[in-house]
Amino acid sequence: GPLEEEKLIDIIDQFDAVICGDDAYTRKVIERGASGNLKILSKYGVGLDRIDLKAAKEFGIKVTNCPGINQNSVAEHVYALLLSFEKNIHTQFNSVRQFSWKRQIGHEIFGKTLGIIGFGAIGKEVARIAQAFKQKIIIYDPFVKEDVAKLFSNTEKTTDLLKLFKESDYITLHTPLNPETKHIINLEVINNQLKKKPVIINTARAGLVDTDAIIYGVKTKKISGYLCDVLDKEPVTKDEKLIGVENVIITPHVGSRTYENVVNQGCKAVKNVIDLINLL
């Protein structure tokens, strides 16, 4: 997976309920499912952007997910990527494997400013980890109350995204993908609004950034790096533009894939199906 429309459309009507990942539940798939047995889509995870929620509502398909389930594993992955990048772990590991002892100079993340866009369960867990590094935290989330920043030291909430862009050494994305957040990091942002050449970390959804703008930003050193766990097309294809770009680290959408969280997500997704079936 993820399974695309053409794979799903011939089989979807056979199932009463589906536990799904990031498969393409388009209007056509949902309509076909509703014409048969389909009644429930249970997302194994959090993001629902690959499910046409409007069509699901129209055709009476119940949709559920596992909010808050991924926060520990994904927040840890954010810092795994960041520390690997700033300490050159990825390049030094490969260098030593070639029997080289050429030592690079890295950067400390201690005391730096971290911008968090989206302050749900994962964003909060990232902020909790940031406390250990004495990082200053700037939060941008229109749906979070002002006093949430008081839960963490050296933290402020802003309604001005430009402030976050100007002041952050690191920017990490934890917002759902929707029309308002698509390409929240774009060419205008990279050219004119980032003042500290930040590292951008994306473990949420690829569509939150304009990939071409990211590549431009890295190559022109307007951003120091791009660390991501998500791509526009998954699994990765031979045409992926980010492959081979210097100062880009890509992992294959594994932020939530820990032994602990696979159990948590699986149990929650199954429980959601059972609960909905009991309501039918």
Side-chain angles (χ1 to χ4, degrees), residues 6-19:
E6 60 271 17
K7 295 281 189 181
L8 288 169
I9 203 158
D10 290 335
I11 60 173
I12 191 63
D13 58 340
Q14 301 173 32
F15 306 106
D16 296 283
V18 177
I19 295 175

Side-chain angles (χ1 to χ4, degrees), residues 64-258:
T64 184
N65 65 346
C66 305
I69 205 76
N70 294 333
Q71 69 263 31
N72 294 331
S73 56
V74 176
E76 287 180 4
H77 199 74
V78 168
Y79 274 91
L81 288 169
L82 182 55
L83 287 165
S84 294
F85 181 78
E86 290 290 59
K87 304 296 183 181
N88 302 306
I89 300 297
H90 57 306
T91 54
Q92 298 280 242
F93 169 76
N94 288 320
S95 173
V96 175
R97 290 186 75 182
Q98 302 301 317
F99 301 98
S100 167
W101 205 249
K102 184 178 180 181
R103 295 182 295 168
Q104 296 174 266
I105 298 175
H107 295 92
E108 295 179 6
I109 70 170
F110 189 90
K112 300 291 175 63
T113 298
L114 175 70
I116 303 176
I117 300 178
F119 208 62
I122 296 172
K124 289 183 178 70
E125 187 63 21
V126 169
R128 188 190 66 77
I129 296 173
Q131 306 293 289
F133 294 100
K134 303 287 187 186
Q135 292 178 324
K136 177 184 176 182
I137 303 167
I138 302 174
I139 301 162
Y140 177 82
D141 189 325
F143 302 101
V144 167
K145 293 180 180 178
E146 195 72 33
D147 60 0
V148 73
K150 296 176 183 177
L151 299 172
F152 305 92
S153 62
N154 206 19
T155 299
E156 66 174 306
K157 180 181 182 293
T158 182
T159 57
D160 182 7
L161 193 52
L162 183 58
K163 173 183 172 62
L164 183 148
F165 288 147
K166 283 182 176 180
E167 298 184 15
S168 297
D169 298 293
Y170 309 120
I171 297 172
T172 184
L173 306 176
H174 300 290
T175 183
L177 177 62
N178 55 47
E180 288 72 38
T181 61
K182 184 174 182 177
H183 292 179
I184 198 168
I185 305 292
N186 53 52
L187 191 60
E188 167 64 19
V189 170
I190 288 173
N191 258 336
N192 300 313
Q193 297 178 19
L194 303 179
K195 301 304 180 185
K196 297 173 76 172
K197 300 179 181 178
V199 176
I200 296 173
I201 309 151
N202 185 5
T203 57
R205 283 291 184 262
L208 297 174
V209 307
D210 179 336
T211 300
D212 290 331
I214 288 289
I215 294 170
Y216 164 80
V218 173
K219 289 185 173 180
T220 58
K221 302 190 184 306
K222 292 179 182 292
I223 60 176
S224 296
Y226 180 60
L227 320 178
C228 69
D229 190 45
V230 284
L231 295 174
D232 287 314
K233 178 69 174 177
E234 297 180 7
V236 65
T237 68
K238 297 289 186 182
D239 299 325
E240 177 53 55
K241 298 175 183 178
L242 287 168
I243 296 292
V245 179
E246 190 175 4
N247 293 325
V248 171
I249 296 179
I250 307 167
T251 52
H253 210 149
V254 292
S256 65
R257 289 179 68 83
T258 61

